Amino acid sequence: MTPDPADAALRALAEPRRRAILQLVAHDELAAGEIAAAFEVSRTAVSQHLTVLKEAGLLHERREATRRLYRARPEGLAQLRELLDDLWDSALDTARRLVEADTTAHHEETA
């Protein structure tokens, strides 16, 4: 069975530091050391978070000499966004049906 990209993204983003890392590199490409400097954890821990985000398709890694540079991959969030959009649309449809049913019932009671 092929892993679901949205599932991998959700699992990766379940950890608060990974979400923070993704926000750091959302608009700027940063070196691993620059990313690590933003957190009070070891570089090894940050490296592990970067690996999880990269494997989930949320980060792009580029090597420049001895440096590793990271930036967010917006396309990596595409399937997750589709999932959330579908859930939101479904929730809105359910809410609309409940309001319509309540409105109809209220009108019948007052008639």
Side-chain angles (χ1 to χ4, degrees):
M1 183 173 170
T2 305
D4 178 11
D7 188 50
L10 283 169
R11 288 177 191 268
L13 294 174
E15 212 289 331
R17 274 197 197 97
R18 292 187 201 129
R19 291 192 303 272
I21 289 169
L22 200 57
Q23 288 176 324
L24 276 176
V25 298
H27 303 289
D28 297 310
E29 185 177 59
L30 296 176
E34 293 172 299
I35 296 167
F39 299 95
E40 294 183 12
V41 295
S42 69
R43 284 181 152 219
T44 302
V46 170
S47 177
Q48 290 171 346
H49 288 308
L50 291 169
T51 298
V52 170
L53 289 166
K54 195 170 66 172
E55 289 175 353
L58 300 173
L59 283 185
H60 173 75
E61 177 187 79
R62 179 174 70 87
R63 292 184 185 213
E64 185 177 272
T66 60
R67 294 174 14 137
R68 291 177 188 222
L69 301 165
Y70 295 90
R71 65 177 166 80
R73 290 186 67 243
E75 60 274 18
L77 291 170
Q79 286 193 304
L80 176 58
R81 183 176 180 132
E82 284 178 33
L83 170 70
L84 295 174
D85 285 347
D86 288 346
L87 291 172
W88 181 247
D89 288 345
S90 177
L92 288 175
D93 286 343
T94 300
R96 179 186 46 79
R97 284 193 305 274
L98 289 171
V99 168
E100 288 172 354
D102 189 50
T103 301
T104 301
H106 179 70
H107 286 291
E108 290 173 357
E109 289 175 3
T110 59

